[in-house]
Amino acid sequence: MSIIGNIIWFFFIGLISGLGWILAGILCCITIVGIPLGLQSFKMAGLTFCPFGKEVVYGGGAVSFLANVLWIVFFGWELAVFYLVAGLVCCVTIIGIPLGLQSFKMAKLALMPFGAYVR
C-alpha cells in the first residue's frame, strides 16, 4: 500500500507541496541566520514527496521551540493551510481518505518541523 500511496500522493499533492518546502528552504538560506531553517525545509521536502510508510516523532527543547515560532510566523502557516485544504478535499471521497490523513499529518509537521524526526 505504501508504494501505491506514495505514487498517488506524489502526483496529486506531493509535487506541489514539496516544491513549497524547497521554495521556503531557498528563501531561508538567503540569510546566514536562516540557514538552519532552510536545511530543515529541505529535509521535510524529502518527506513530503513520499510520506507513506514513514512516522514523524516530535521532540526537541527550547531551541526547537524558538525555531518553530519563527517558522510559523514566516512560512509554516501557509504550508499548514495548504495541507489542511488538501486533506479536506481528499477526505470527500472514500478512496482519498488515506491521502487526507497524510495531509493532516503533514499539516502538523508544517507548523512544527523543528525537533521532529522521521522514522
Side-chain angles (χ1 to χ4, degrees), residues 47-104:
L47 173 66
T48 300
F49 287 129
C50 298
F52 283 89
K54 297 179 182 171
E55 181 184 354
V56 179
V57 179
Y58 293 95
V63 175
S64 295
F65 175 76
L66 293 175
N68 281 329
V69 169
L70 286 174
W71 178 259
I72 289 170
V73 171
F74 292 109
F75 298 106
W77 67 272
E78 296 99 339
L79 292 168
V81 168
F82 170 78
Y83 283 121
L84 287 175
V85 170
L88 291 173
V89 169
C90 287
C91 285
V92 170
T93 64
I94 293 173
I95 296 171
I97 290 175
L99 297 175
L101 295 176
Q102 291 298 322
S103 292
F104 297 143

